[in-house]
Amino acid sequence: MFDQIVTEPEHQRKGLGRIVMGALSNVSIASESKIGVLVATEDGCALYKAIGWTIVSPVTAAVIG
């Protein structure tokens, strides 16, 4: 499982996110994962759509207090 993968702002728009996601996908495929689930920011969502992921449902984060 991978969590909170981030490309720092000064390194964005250079293809690094695409490379990292490709590498993580390859690890998941090699371990015979059958399904992938992402929760993303708006910027992350744009990347994931660009590399072939499909939006199934939006997610809303909320806290109380």
Side-chain angles (χ1 to χ4, degrees):
M1 177 159 99
F2 313 105
D3 190 28
Q4 297 184 358
I5 307 301
V6 176
T7 304
E8 294 296 329
E10 63 270 20
H11 300 291
Q12 292 175 354
R13 310 298 308 163
K14 298 177 183 177
L16 299 173
R18 185 180 292 264
I19 291 167
V20 169
M21 287 305 298
L24 295 176
S25 295
N26 288 339
V27 168
S28 295
I29 291 165
S31 66
E32 300 182 5
S33 295
K34 302 292 183 226
I35 190 168
V37 176
L38 294 169
V39 177
T41 62
E42 269 187 48
D43 290 338
C45 191
L47 168 65
Y48 301 141
K49 286 194 288 186
I51 61 175
W53 287 75
T54 302
I55 296 174
V56 176
S57 175
V59 174
T60 301
V63 295
I64 194 167

